[in-house]
Amino acid sequence: MTTPAPETSPVDQRLARASWGPLPYFLPFVVYVIHTLEELPGFASWATAHFGPESTETFAAYHIPLMLLVLLASWQASRATRANGWVVAATAFQWQFGVNALFHLTTWITLGVYSPGVVTGAVVSIPATVAYLVWIRRQNRITIRQIWLAAAIGTAIAAAAIGFLFL
């Protein structure tokens, strides 16, 4: 006797049929650009008021090479034929943006003032992180072990970014 296959929702069926190719690997880069555009006008003054001195120039100076690094990881991951270090790196960066969103939400609630980046964190980063992780697993582009490694790396990156605010 065979067991009938579990029913899937129409959304699950459409997602399973969708051929996104390697495009989701570019989500970390797109999320980073959108998120930084929200942060750029007011993040430095907000960070200075609540953590340590920050200038818009310094903020831009360290975000530009980081954006290029995320773009490189996304591009290299999109070219990979199997899970490798670039796929783990792209996944780590996307995870980091999800953790970063939680930081923005937490500081907004704790401090009671708008945290530049909270809107894109909640509306872009968190949904993109969930979608990315669902896609990468459904497409078998990464193992569970590699996801755990990426999550650990991404959490360390997020912790370093938060720690940098206190310098």
Side-chain angles (χ1 to χ4, degrees):
M1 183 168 156
T2 61
T3 306
E7 288 192 35
T8 57
S9 73
V11 172
D12 284 339
Q13 291 170 5
R14 281 194 302 274
L15 284 172
R17 286 192 308 266
S19 175
W20 296 95
L23 283 177
Y25 283 123
F26 288 94
L27 265 176
F29 177 70
V30 171
V31 166
Y32 195 12
V33 170
I34 293 168
H35 183 66
T36 301
L37 289 173
E38 179 191 358
E39 287 182 325
L40 192 59
F43 188 83
S45 61
W46 176 84
T48 299
H50 301 288
F51 296 98
E54 175 87 49
S55 71
T56 301
E57 294 78 14
T58 303
F59 178 85
Y62 66 76
H63 275 74
I64 292 168
L66 291 174
M67 276 187 191
L68 294 174
L69 178 61
V70 174
L71 178 59
L72 175 64
S74 294
W75 179 64
Q76 290 288 12
S78 76
R79 298 176 65 227
T81 56
R82 60 183 174 74
N84 62 19
W86 292 110
V87 173
V88 172
T91 304
F93 285 129
Q94 186 59 59
W95 179 266
Q96 185 278 149
F97 294 123
V99 173
N100 179 270
L102 297 177
F103 164 77
H104 282 288
L105 288 164
T106 301
T107 56
W108 177 40
I109 292 165
T110 303
L111 300 172
V113 296
Y114 165 75
S115 167
V118 73
V119 174
T120 53
V123 176
V124 178
S125 297
I126 292 173
T129 300
V130 170
Y132 179 90
L133 292 172
V134 167
W135 170 80
I136 204 164
R137 281 304 300 145
R138 283 197 176 149
Q139 297 297 313
N140 292 318
R141 293 180 182 254
I142 196 169
T143 66
I144 294 294
R145 187 175 191 178
Q146 289 168 323
I147 286 177
W148 282 109
L149 175 61
I153 293 167
T155 301
I157 293 169
I162 293 165
F164 190 78
L165 293 174
F166 293 94
L167 297 180

